Amino acid sequence: MLIVSACSKTAPSENKPPADDKPAEPKATAVDAGPGAIRAPGPTTVVPTKPARPSLANRCVLGGDPLAGSCSAYNEGIAVGRDGLLYVVAGKQVRRYQRLEGADCRLEPSGEPIEMPADNPRPQEVGKGPIYMRSGGSEWRMLRAGDAIYAHDFLGGLFRIDRGKPEPVCDVFGYSMLAAFGKKLVIARQGFEELKLGKKCKEHKLGIDDKARGDVYAIRDHLYLANGKRLTRYDGKTPVELLEDKQVCYVSSLAACGDGLCVLDQNCVQIIQLGPDGKLLRKIDDDQLFATRPYGMNHIVAADNGNVYIRAKHRDSTNNKEICETAIYELPAAVFAH
């Protein structure tokens, strides 16, 4: 019997803006921009018709080439190393940025981009487990575990990249999320499994909700599973539902913040801050977060100093061609104090 698992890496609403998306600010090319134009990172110049509203999230100024890409791509990763370097996926590369000192967020390239392997999905054999398929190319996610930064792709495999090149470390594939839970690397494929690294990687069932499906995260002493509007925390092996249906539209990413955690809600363009007990503390919507509302938000990640970074996208059109530019936003740790 052939088991086919058709896996899509795209969130339901990633190919279109949220229903309540606000009109984009008028844009012009650099040639058309007047002397008062504010020059934003990337290929376009934003000419505001009204003063920008104050925002909690500062858009980082990125040195080097713009982070252009596709508006439909979803799983483009971001991670912060112990040394403070910010790792950002840019197509087939991972770029590293060093934050410059100062109140404003300024990120400068650090070292050469890391060239990720070309698409070469692992061979699969009929009769030896499910056959995984997908459309499109690789979409790299990243994870920090101790001093290591790992990049992984659903069919491409797992690589360590913090030493400046992709080093293959595991031949297990077919999972979209990897979490560092204590000294364990955990995936959620058919329930939670520990991924043991070695010359030949091995998976080991953890006996935690063997029917679990979704994206797995490890924050402090708990495992979390995000699946659409649902967010489940596991107290040992006991699942606890954290969010009510009306509180969230789509959980796209989680990160530690303050003394609890932050939920990045892609479809409602908001951050939901939960306390250490998992109770709702507050919602921070796009009007508070951003001076200019982004087209979409992908990932949220925390640095050791408590600052939080969001990877977002801004969409534009030039000569009837869609341009999607990645933006990195920084939220100081003080935003989440309570």
Side-chain angles (χ1 to χ4, degrees), residues 72 176 265 271-273 301:
S72 62
S176 61
D265 185 344
I271 288 177
I272 302 171
Q273 185 180 356
V301 66

Side-chain angles (χ1 to χ4, degrees), residues 116-283:
M116 298 304 295
D119 291 343
N120 184 25
R122 308 281 176 167
Q124 304 179 66
E125 297 182 30
V126 175
K128 292 188 177 181
I131 300 296
Y132 296 101
M133 299 184 301
R134 69 156 179 223
S135 60
S138 58
E139 293 179 333
W140 297 99
R141 288 196 178 194
M142 288 186 292
L143 170 78
R144 172 182 153 191
D147 290 330
I149 300 290
Y150 294 103
H152 58 95
D153 172 67
F154 186 78
L155 292 182
L158 177 66
F159 297 82
R160 182 172 178 175
I161 62 171
D162 55 281
R163 292 185 280 233
K165 61 181 181 180
E167 304 171 47
V169 296
C170 195
D171 56 356
V172 174
F173 61 93
Y175 59 91
S176 61
M177 289 293 293
L178 179 70
F181 188 50
K183 295 183 178 181
K184 297 177 181 179
L185 292 178
V186 178
I187 60 175
R189 206 166 35 174
Q190 294 181 0
F192 292 95
E193 299 174 82
E194 179 184 359
L195 189 61
K196 294 185 176 181
L197 305 184
K199 291 184 178 179
K200 185 171 179 59
C201 293
K202 296 181 180 180
E203 311 103 294
H204 172 70
K205 288 282 187 180
L206 292 179
I208 304 174
D209 198 350
D210 288 341
K211 295 182 180 180
R213 298 289 188 277
D215 292 340
V216 60
Y217 298 86
I219 298 176
R220 298 187 175 95
D221 298 324
H222 291 94
L223 285 173
Y224 295 83
L225 191 75
N227 188 350
K229 299 181 72 168
R230 295 184 60 189
L231 178 61
T232 306
R233 185 187 69 203
Y234 289 84
D235 296 344
K237 296 183 180 181
T238 304
V240 179
E241 297 297 324
L242 295 186
L243 294 173
E244 298 177 6
D245 183 69
K246 295 182 180 180
Q247 292 177 337
V248 63
C249 296
Y250 186 88
V251 179
S252 57
S253 186
L254 301 181
C257 68
D259 56 0
L261 70 149
C262 281
V263 180
L264 192 67
D265 185 344
Q266 154 68 19
N267 288 13
C268 286
V269 193
Q270 64 179 350
I271 288 177
I272 302 171
Q273 185 180 356
L274 305 180
D277 57 358
K279 301 295 185 181
L280 176 69
L281 292 179
R282 63 171 173 163
K283 294 182 179 181

Side-chain angles (χ1 to χ4, degrees), residues 14-15 41-44 59 62 65-77 88-93 95 97 138-139 295-296 298 311-318 321-328:
E14 183 65 20
N15 290 326
T44 61
R59 183 171 180 177
L62 295 176
D65 295 333
L67 288 169
S70 168
C71 284
S72 62
Y74 176 63
N75 296 327
E76 298 173 322
V88 180
V89 171
K92 304 298 183 183
Q93 296 179 336
R95 299 184 191 173
Y97 295 93
S138 58
E139 293 179 333
Y295 172 76
N298 294 116
R311 177 174 183 147
K313 294 181 178 181
H314 289 273
R315 187 176 67 166
D316 194 10
S317 179
T318 300
K321 181 179 179 181
E322 181 181 75
I323 295 175
C324 203
E325 184 184 4
T326 291
I328 306 298

